[in-house]
Amino acid sequence: MAVHFGYQPKYLSRLIRQLFDQTFSQLKTETRVSISKSLLELTTKSIEEISEIVGYPSVSNYYRAFKMATGLTPSEYRKMRREG
């Protein structure tokens, strides 16, 4: 990302920390989980497809990150949101 925007990696990391009060990794995970929540609620895509869409080639890593962020697995989240 730093290269894309023409910044030094350390500078971009500090800037993200100042602006969002999070590390780059935390911000990236939060964004991925947020997008995947929407996909789980609004589509019938499989969890494997959603995992790839949001940038987790390994479904087990996706499950782990999602559960740490929400306290639920993607399947549990989808079921809970669909049941109301």
Side-chain angles (χ1 to χ4, degrees):
M1 189 167 122
V3 171
H4 177 78
F5 290 108
Y7 291 117
Q8 292 295 320
K10 286 186 179 190
Y11 173 75
L12 183 61
S13 181
R14 270 192 319 248
L15 186 60
I16 288 170
R17 182 65 126 161
Q18 289 173 348
L19 294 173
F20 299 102
D21 198 31
Q22 294 179 314
T23 65
F24 175 74
S25 293
Q26 290 169 327
L27 185 61
K28 182 171 68 170
T29 298
E30 181 182 294
T31 303
R32 285 174 167 178
V33 169
S34 177
I35 293 168
S36 66
K37 282 178 169 180
S38 295
L39 291 170
L40 288 164
E41 291 175 36
L42 302 172
T43 72
T44 58
K45 291 186 182 301
S46 71
I47 291 171
E48 290 78 13
E49 287 176 294
I50 292 172
S51 169
E52 287 182 29
I53 289 168
V54 298
Y56 287 98
S58 165
V59 176
S60 61
N61 287 344
Y62 170 65
Y63 264 85
R64 190 177 312 110
F66 193 92
K67 181 138 186 165
M68 283 190 70
T70 65
L72 301 168
T73 66
S75 302
E76 292 168 340
Y77 182 84
R78 177 177 265 169
K79 184 178 179 190
M80 180 191 74
R81 297 300 293 188
R82 293 218 169 136
E83 291 176 352

